[in-house]
Structure formats: C-alpha cells, structure tokens
Amino acid sequence: EVQLVESGGGLVQPGRSLRLSCAASGFTFDDYAMHWVRQAPGKGLEWVSGISWNSGTIDYADSVKGRFTISRDNAKNSLYLQMNSLRAEDTALYYCAKGPDGSGWSFDYWGQGTLVTVSS
Amino acid sequence: SYELTQPPSLSVSPGQTARITCSGDALPKKFAYWYQQKSGQAPVLVIYEDIKRPSGIPERFSGSSSGTMATLTISGAQVEDEADYYCYSTDSSGNHSGVFGGGTKLTVL
C-alpha cells in the first residue's frame, strides 16, 4: 500500500524559512517522480513543484520560483521542500504526491498534507 | 501563464448525468487528469490520460477530450459523488509546469 506522510509544517513568521519532509513507503521510491501540491484555506489546488526520479528534471510554479527548493533522498525514501522568504500567501496545506508509472508529470497518490501558516 | 478553466459549480439530481468541463489551449497536445476531493480529505485520482480509469474507481466515471476541452462525465451520479473536482494538465511550452483548473463543486441532491 502506498503511503505518503508529510511533516514539518507549523506557524512561521513572514520572511522566515521552513523545511517540509515526506516519508514514502509501499512502492519503489526511486522509480517515480514526486511533487508538492498546496491548497490555501478554502481555495483550490495549486501545483508547487516536481522532481523526477533521479532529480534530473525539476520545476517550480512561478509563485515559488527562487524561494522554494525541492529535493529528494532516494536512499531514505524521502522528499523535501525547503521554503525560504515565506509570505502570508504561502499559507496552505501542503501535499506530497507520487508520480504515475511512466514519464507523466502528474500524480496518482497523495498524502494527507501538512499545514503551513505564515503569520506574525 | 497557462490556465485551465472549469465551471465553479454544477448541481444534478441523483441518477442524472453530470458533465464537468475543463478548457485549455494545450489540451490538444497534453493529457488531462481529474481529481475528486471530498470535504476534509486528500484528492483522489479518478481519470488519467484523458480517458483511463484507475482501479477501484466506479465505472460511472469516464473521461473524454476533444480539441481544447476535456470532460469528466459521471453517469448516474450518486449522493456520495458530491465533491470538488479538479482537472490538471501541463503546458506545451516544453517546461514541466503543472496547472490545475479552479475546481468545480458538484452538488448531488
């Protein structure tokens, strides 16, 4: 059974940093692309960033480019999101999501999310 | 930046067919994916690569795509299908940016 467990969320002041983690199990982690998707309170889904199985392909939404860094450690079956220069508009539930079989840039399984609140 | 457009809401009676549309300029070249999100829960994939249904998803869910529009069809909608539905795709510029539609709130009553 695929399991994705996010952690690292919390309350942080504007301008500060936070690092999210996602622990993966139930599949061969280094065979799949992984993504972060967020959802602001009461709003829709927003793709944040994705990383290919070997970290050779990485991309970001324009809203986070230059501030957020995605990475993965295949030996630890873990995905990360380093978030710097946080803004109030980054407040959201952050989901870790697994890429599909093949080369598609989409997601077939999601975690339950970790909440990030940016406020002074 | 690339956008996908969905109607904000749709209401049907139980047993009726619900059709949720998603329009985007790159859809003739890129696959559409559909996610169901019930209140307080993580999203679930219900259609991938325009028309394919994951295992465990009821047969009443189907997808189609023509030109710049993709459509999620729920044939004989059930009360338990009430949820937000999001389409997702990527742009055709050669980068790997993903984009979601704004979501459609489906009410079944």
Side-chain angles (χ1 to χ4, degrees):
Chain A
E1 179 194 5
V2 172
Q3 286 201 326
L4 300 168
V5 180
E6 303 91 338
S7 61
L11 174 63
V12 61
Q13 293 179 329
R16 302 299 288 265
S17 299
L18 207 58
R19 188 193 196 208
L20 305 184
S21 299
C22 171
S25 61
F27 64 101
T28 304
F29 182 73
D30 54 12
D31 278 350
Y32 295 93
M34 297 293 295
H35 299 263
W36 289 99
V37 177
R38 69 184 181 183
Q39 187 169 34
K43 302 297 184 182
L45 300 172
E46 179 186 15
W47 176 83
V48 173
S49 182
I51 184 169
S52 62
W53 66 275
N54 64 352
S55 304
T57 298
I58 289 174
D59 208 348
Y60 301 93
D62 288 343
S63 57
V64 306
K65 202 168 289 186
R67 301 187 299 122
F68 289 12
T69 302
I70 192 171
S71 62
R72 64 189 295 160
D73 185 336
N74 287 343
K76 295 183 178 180
N77 289 350
S78 293
L79 175 72
Y80 305 101
L81 186 68
Q82 177 67 43
M83 305 185 296
N84 298 333
S85 302
L86 283 161
R87 305 167 180 168
E89 54 264 37
D90 297 318
T91 294
L93 186 63
Y94 284 73
Y95 292 103
C96 166
K98 170 188 167 292
D101 292 339
S103 59
W105 202 246
S106 62
F107 351 96
D108 55 6
Y109 290 93
W110 301 60
Q112 291 302 307
T114 186
L115 182 62
V116 173
T117 303
V118 183
S119 174
S120 55
Chain B
S1 61
Y2 184 50
E3 294 183 354
L4 295 174
T5 302
Q6 298 180 237
S9 63
L10 177 67
S11 182
V12 299
S13 299
Q16 288 189 327
T17 295
R19 293 184 180 87
I20 300 172
T21 59
C22 172
S23 64
D25 289 342
L27 290 179
K29 301 179 182 178
K30 297 293 184 178
F31 287 126
Y33 300 78
W34 291 93
Y35 297 90
Q36 176 195 67
Q37 186 179 34
K38 295 183 178 179
S39 180
Q41 298 182 20
V44 171
L45 178 67
V46 294
I47 293 291
Y48 67 102
E49 294 180 356
D50 291 344
I51 61 172
K52 299 177 182 178
R53 191 175 56 247
S55 61
I57 300 301
E59 291 184 6
R60 62 181 180 272
F61 289 87
S62 63
S64 62
S65 186
S66 179
T68 59
M69 185 168 288
T71 302
L72 172 68
T73 300
I74 308 172
S75 303
Q78 306 295 307
V79 172
E80 60 263 32
D81 299 329
E82 186 163 295
D84 294 322
Y85 290 86
Y86 296 91
C87 63
Y88 167 88
S89 189
T90 54
D91 69 29
S92 58
S93 64
N95 63 24
H96 289 78
S97 291
V99 62
F100 284 94
T104 298
K105 170 64 179 176
L106 176 66
T107 301
V108 182
L109 52 75

